[in-house]
Amino acid sequence: MSDFPYNIRNYQPADFNKYVLLYAEAEKLEPSGRCVSPQFVAEQLQRPNYSPEQDLFIAEAGNDIVGYLSVTPELTIGRIVLDCWVHPEHRRRGIATKLLSYATNLAKELGANVAHVNIAEDNRVAVRVLSRLGFNPVRRFLELRLDIADVGRIDIDPAAICCRYLQLGEENRLTQLQNRAFAGTWGYNPNTEEEIAFRISSSNCSLDDIILLCEGNKAIGYCWTGISCEKGVPSTRTGRILMLGVDPDYRGKGIGKKLVLAGLANLKRKGLQIAELTADSENKTACTLYKSLGFKVRIRTYWYEKAIN
């Protein structure tokens, strides 16, 4: 398209400040609960198995960045995960289509089979765009919320319910437990020790966010908590249960509930009042557990899929 007034290209380190501004603007106009501090954005660009100079595309209008598309390769399960945003003033001009064509070419080079993107059920604009670009909904996830006070008395000390915090040097133990707990789960790309260590060392995480349940020397379950972001900065009242995993050999023994309660206790200890989490709607066991504790559906999101090769 010869009159296309935008320049689509790969990200370069010199783009960082403008990219942060656009990233913050996206969170301001369409909140998603992400942190937008320059430190956090810089960390995300440096995460393992991700190269911004290869995996991040930007759309320029003059000297401004008005759109981006980030490609997260998850090649162990044959997919790429897309995160795309175009400023509302520049929508309906073919930018998303152009960005996707760049991402599709990259996916083919990497050998990925499908592209996935997650959007809120009520994001009608994104639904129309994705449908036009050949994406179809394949999985529904639930965003759940709970007022921690509604759970009643929960012990603030995880040790009181036979749990403890992760210790430095246990990254490999957590990696093995997590991969075992989520093996075969839809959309789960096995983690490496490097990826787990990176997440633990990031600015928005600490060892006392991760609760480990052991039987003797064997780790059999964990609950990874964190603080949510509101308006781009860490919240003073809302936390998240980011991940909950139980060794398959120990399921059906109430361990999942014990870990959820330990996670809620951990959030309460940090002065947080609201707990949020994401659940696959087809994981009936997990959904039943969360609802039994009082979690309510806040919003629904859909994973959309497009075949690449």
Side-chain angles (χ1 to χ4, degrees):
M1 206 156 62
S2 58
D3 59 347
F4 188 69
Y6 301 96
N7 180 35
I8 309 295
R9 62 173 174 83
N10 292 89
Y11 169 90
Q12 297 297 326
D15 298 318
F16 179 74
N17 290 335
K18 291 181 180 180
Y19 176 66
V20 170
L21 289 175
L22 182 67
Y23 199 83
E25 185 74 0
E27 189 61 28
K28 176 184 176 181
L29 296 178
E30 298 173 1
S32 64
R34 295 186 295 188
C35 181
V36 298
S37 71
Q39 180 181 8
F40 176 80
V41 176
E43 288 176 346
Q44 291 305 298
L45 293 178
Q46 296 166 4
R47 65 190 186 269
N49 303 315
Y50 181 84
S51 169
E53 290 86 353
Q54 170 189 276
D55 302 326
L56 178 58
F57 302 99
I58 62 172
E60 287 181 313
N63 293 322
D64 297 324
I65 297 177
V66 299
Y68 71 85
L69 189 152
S70 177
V71 178
T72 299
E74 295 187 347
L75 303 181
T76 303
I77 58 173
R79 77 170 183 175
I80 59 169
V81 179
L82 306 180
D83 174 25
C84 181
W85 195 77
V86 176
H87 195 285
E89 294 180 3
H90 297 270
R91 291 176 182 171
R92 298 178 179 272
R93 301 181 188 182
I95 295 177
T97 301
K98 284 280 190 179
L99 287 168
L100 180 64
S101 69
Y102 277 71
T104 300
N105 289 336
L106 175 60
K108 290 178 179 178
E109 292 175 10
L110 296 174
N113 298 316
V114 297
H116 283 156
V117 60
N118 184 239
I119 64 166
E121 182 181 42
D122 60 357
N123 190 339
R124 300 183 184 279
V125 173
V127 169
R128 287 197 298 269
V129 171
L130 290 173
S131 297
R132 178 169 53 81
L133 295 177
F135 283 80
N136 296 297
V138 292
R139 202 80 167 194
R140 185 180 70 171
F141 275 59
L142 308 175
E143 294 294 324
L144 305 175
R145 174 177 287 178
L146 169 73
D147 185 333
I148 295 175
D150 290 343
V151 181
R153 184 184 179 279
I154 52 178
D155 202 303
I156 295 178
D157 182 8
I161 47 176
C162 305
C163 297
R164 65 170 176 81
Y165 295 124
L166 188 76
Q167 299 173 4
L168 206 59
E170 292 188 312
E171 293 84 358
N172 186 55
R173 169 178 277 198
L174 178 58
T175 302
Q176 291 184 18
L177 172 59
Q178 181 169 296
N179 288 339
R180 181 167 167 77
F182 287 93
T185 301
W186 186 90
Y188 180 70
N189 186 61
N191 286 156
T192 65
E193 183 178 350
E194 180 188 14
E195 290 169 328
I196 293 296
F198 176 84
R199 289 187 62 183
I200 291 173
S201 65
S202 63
S203 60
N204 64 341
C205 185
S206 63
L207 290 173
D208 66 3
D209 288 331
I210 305 168
I211 298 165
L212 204 62
L213 179 63
C214 296
E215 183 179 79
N217 292 323
K218 182 176 183 180
I220 62 174
Y222 76 101
C223 180
W224 195 325
T225 64
I227 296 177
S228 298
C229 283
E230 295 177 349
K231 298 181 179 179
V233 298
S235 173
T236 58
R237 64 188 302 268
T238 305
R240 285 192 71 85
I241 292 179
L242 300 168
M243 249 187 177
L244 180 82
V246 178
D247 187 298
D249 292 341
Y250 291 82
R251 290 175 184 163
K253 300 180 180 181
I255 291 175
K257 182 176 182 180
K258 179 181 289 189
L259 285 165
V260 174
L261 291 174
L264 293 174
N266 208 35
L267 296 176
K268 181 179 178 182
R269 179 183 65 81
K270 297 182 179 184
L272 301 168
Q273 303 164 1
I274 303 295
E276 298 176 335
L277 59 82
T278 303
D280 184 341
S281 65
E282 296 191 23
N283 187 341
K284 303 302 182 183
T285 300
C287 290
T288 298
L289 168 60
Y290 299 142
K291 291 178 181 179
S292 73
L293 292 172
F295 279 91
K296 307 293 184 184
V297 176
R298 182 171 64 90
I299 60 174
R300 295 172 175 82
T301 70
Y302 280 89
W303 280 96
Y304 279 71
E305 177 179 287
K306 179 178 181 178
I308 299 296
N309 291 316

